[in-house]
Amino acid sequence: TREIRVVGSVESEVDPTVNVAHSWKIYVYTTNPEYDPDQARRAEEDPTITYTVDRNIWMDQTQFYDITNSSRFFTRADSPNMVIKANVLQPSKDFKIRLILTVGNGDA
């Protein structure tokens, strides 16, 4: 994959005298570890059984991708921008990138 630049934005007013820290989370659309295909099949065959566990979910994979690794990512706590270096993400997967703002004493 090619290098990806992500530009975050703050949609509400933040007091310029308050400290704001930016961090990121990476989510991957993947198989839900709580999904049980046998239970899902039973529920499909028997209308009296309800099974509501999704087969796939957006799972937080921030730790796996290690955003703190500067050979893979470039971020700064004082900037809402991120660079994901080439060949870090797999083109066969679906990703969501979320910007987290920590304002002042930690209220996001």
Side-chain angles (χ1 to χ4, degrees):
T1 58
R2 292 190 277 178
E3 182 174 278
I4 300 169
R5 294 181 183 275
V6 181
V7 178
S9 63
V10 179
E11 296 179 356
S12 59
E13 295 243 355
V14 177
D15 182 341
T17 64
V18 174
N19 186 38
V20 176
H22 304 84
S23 59
W24 297 87
K25 289 197 176 278
I26 296 180
Y27 295 86
V28 178
Y29 195 65
T30 188
T31 303
N32 184 347
E34 296 179 14
Y35 179 78
D36 183 331
D38 294 330
Q39 286 186 21
R41 187 171 30 261
R42 277 194 229 84
E44 200 173 279
E45 295 168 355
D46 183 348
T48 64
I49 298 173
T50 302
Y51 187 70
T52 59
V53 177
D54 292 329
R55 177 177 289 181
N56 295 305
I57 60 171
W58 289 101
M59 187 174 291
D60 185 349
Q61 295 290 300
T62 306
Q63 298 265 339
F64 175 80
Y65 285 97
D66 188 12
I67 291 176
T68 63
N69 183 335
S70 62
S71 70
R72 299 169 60 114
F73 298 92
F74 177 75
T75 64
R76 289 188 358 212
D78 65 342
S79 171
N81 303 322
M82 169 195 266
V83 175
I84 305 169
K85 306 287 178 85
N87 301 314
V88 171
L89 303 180
Q90 299 76 28
S92 62
K93 294 185 178 182
D94 292 327
F95 295 90
K96 281 187 183 182
I97 309 295
R98 179 172 288 167
L99 172 61
I100 309 296
L101 296 180
T102 305
V103 179
N105 64 356
D107 297 334

